[in-house]
Amino acid sequence: MKAVYYTKYGPPDVLQLREAEKPAVRDGEILIKVHASTVTAVDCNFRQGKPFIAKLFTGLMRPKRPVLGTEFAGVVEATGQGVTRFTEGDCVFGTTIGFGAYAEYICFPERKLTLEKVPSGITFDQAAACDGFLTALPFLRDKGKITSGQKVLIYGASGSVGTAAVQLADHFGAEVTGMCSTANLELVKSLKAANVIDYTKEDFADGGKTYDIIFDAVGKLSFSRCKRSLKSKGIFLTTDLVPTILPQMLWTSIIGGKKARIAFTGLRPVSERTKDLTIIKELIEAGKIKPVIDRHYTLEQIAEAHRYVEQGHKRGNVIILVESESKS
């Protein structure tokens, strides 16, 4: 089989397509033929070995797990003894623990896969583009305690997490304001944002408006910058583990009405993530939310895809087509 390896940290060219041995399924494992994966900002950061603290997970001197990629959609090719939820031929989507999805096949223990059957009516590439919802849902629901009627600002509303957050906040009944660049205003409006702000022309903090939740989906804001735009009991959410956020979380949990919070969504137990993936599947099938796709690349174009994502201007998700047929 083909797989994309990186044996050292660095620019996109460290990604090399190689022949690898097809995994053999063992007891409790699921072998999946991958049809589609994605390139995320996190993939790019880990490829570079950034931030340094991430190397405690990926390897201090060189990558411990040489095949990147966490999101995927494909078909179950075989199951080991003891696998109960899936059978050969099932079309599935989800995420891995420890990467590995930049390959034609992946094989993991069932208990280590966040996995569900592909929602009816969508393609493999759309199914692979659902991890933004897995990030946005616990941020808004669990950390933000979002409720109907609240005013919510999504900063970075046109990215993979941002497009998911806009749709989920609307689903929860909030009045959503999406902040993005000029080129993406119509996209964000189409996702049912009640209001949009062009960050190239307007600073949300200058308008005097206040919000119940400000969700920074791209890690560009700070609690101090957002504080005056929060209501008296407003909550600032960020996806970026900056040095100041943990002390701010602790301090604001003890004193003051306005809160700063972060969620380590990728570290949640597989059982919790799987429950959320089931919710996401049901919302997609009900037509409440939809994955947003920017561009498609082939596995052979993986370095080009990483270069594009690193520019920081993708609209929704960037898909890697591992199998040429992307429909489920």
Side-chain angles (χ1 to χ4, degrees):
M1 72 168 191
K2 293 180 180 178
V4 175
Y5 283 80
Y6 79 127
T7 56
K8 59 183 179 180
Y9 298 115
D13 290 337
V14 302
L15 299 170
Q16 300 293 319
L17 187 64
R18 300 180 183 177
E19 288 293 330
E21 186 175 349
K22 180 181 175 181
V25 66
R26 297 177 293 186
D27 289 352
E29 292 184 340
I30 301 177
L31 176 66
I32 298 169
K33 182 175 178 59
V34 179
H35 282 241
S37 184
T38 67
V39 177
T40 68
V42 172
D43 293 328
C44 293
N45 289 339
F46 283 176
R47 189 207 70 237
Q48 297 176 72
K50 297 178 180 179
F52 181 80
I53 193 173
K55 289 186 176 182
L56 299 177
F57 175 69
T58 60
L60 288 176
M61 302 302 296
R62 62 182 62 86
K64 292 189 296 185
R65 299 172 178 84
V67 179
L68 286 169
T70 59
E71 304 173 68
F72 66 89
V75 178
V76 175
E77 180 149 311
T79 60
Q81 185 174 353
V83 173
T84 58
R85 293 185 61 223
F86 302 95
T87 60
E88 182 180 337
D90 284 344
C91 296
V92 294
F93 75 120
T95 63
T96 70
I97 290 180
F99 312 119
Y102 289 174
E104 291 184 311
Y105 292 89
I106 57 173
C107 189
F108 284 90
E110 182 181 25
R111 61 184 175 82
K112 290 189 176 182
L113 284 172
T114 301
L115 197 63
E116 252 293 0
K117 292 181 181 178
V118 171
S120 58
I122 71 169
T123 57
F124 282 120
D125 54 343
Q126 291 172 313
C130 287
D131 192 52
F133 292 107
L134 275 177
T135 299
L137 182 57
F139 263 101
L140 292 170
R141 181 194 60 201
D142 304 334
K143 296 298 181 179
K145 306 296 182 183
I146 190 171
T147 59
S148 180
Q150 287 187 322
K151 295 184 184 298
V152 177
L153 173 69
I154 309 295
Y155 189 91
S158 59
S160 56
V161 176
T163 54
V166 169
Q167 295 178 77
L168 287 171
D170 174 75
H171 169 69
F172 282 117
E175 180 185 306
V176 184
T177 297
M179 196 159 187
C180 58
S181 65
T182 309
N184 296 322
L185 292 176
E186 292 304 317
L187 167 65
V188 175
K189 286 179 184 178
S190 75
L191 301 176
K192 298 183 180 179
N195 310 287
V196 291
I197 298 174
D198 184 344
Y199 73 78
T200 68
K201 299 178 180 178
E202 182 181 351
D203 187 340
F204 71 93
D206 291 338
K209 295 182 180 179
T210 56
Y211 302 89
D212 297 283
I213 298 172
I214 296 178
F215 181 18
D216 177 12
V218 288
K220 297 289 181 68
L221 300 179
S222 64
F223 177 58
S224 58
R225 181 182 171 192
C226 295
K227 196 171 181 180
R228 67 189 177 110
S229 297
L230 288 169
K231 293 187 177 182
S232 60
K233 294 185 179 180
I235 297 173
F236 169 69
L237 304 173
T238 180
T239 57
D240 191 20
L241 182 57
V242 295
T244 56
I245 190 63
L246 294 179
Q248 287 170 341
M249 283 178 59
L250 177 61
W251 178 250
T252 60
S253 68
I254 298 171
I255 191 169
K258 302 177 183 182
K259 308 296 183 186
R261 290 175 180 165
I262 190 171
F264 302 102
T265 58
L267 300 180
R268 294 188 307 145
V270 168
S271 58
E272 291 183 13
R273 287 173 59 83
T274 300
K275 288 179 182 177
D276 281 353
L277 191 63
T278 302
I279 292 171
I280 290 162
K281 174 188 174 182
E282 293 170 350
L283 289 174
I284 291 173
E285 290 180 331
K288 302 294 185 182
I289 60 175
K290 62 180 181 180
V292 176
I293 294 175
D294 183 350
R295 297 186 180 188
H296 295 82
Y297 294 87
T298 64
L299 203 59
E300 290 78 8
Q301 296 171 313
I302 190 73
E304 183 182 346
H306 270 244
R307 278 190 285 270
Y308 175 65
V309 172
E310 278 185 343
Q311 294 173 15
H313 301 300
K314 67 184 178 74
R315 294 158 49 95
N317 298 268
V318 169
I319 302 296
I320 300 299
L321 295 177
V322 180
E323 180 72 16
S324 58
E325 176 55 66
S326 65
K327 292 185 177 180
S328 60

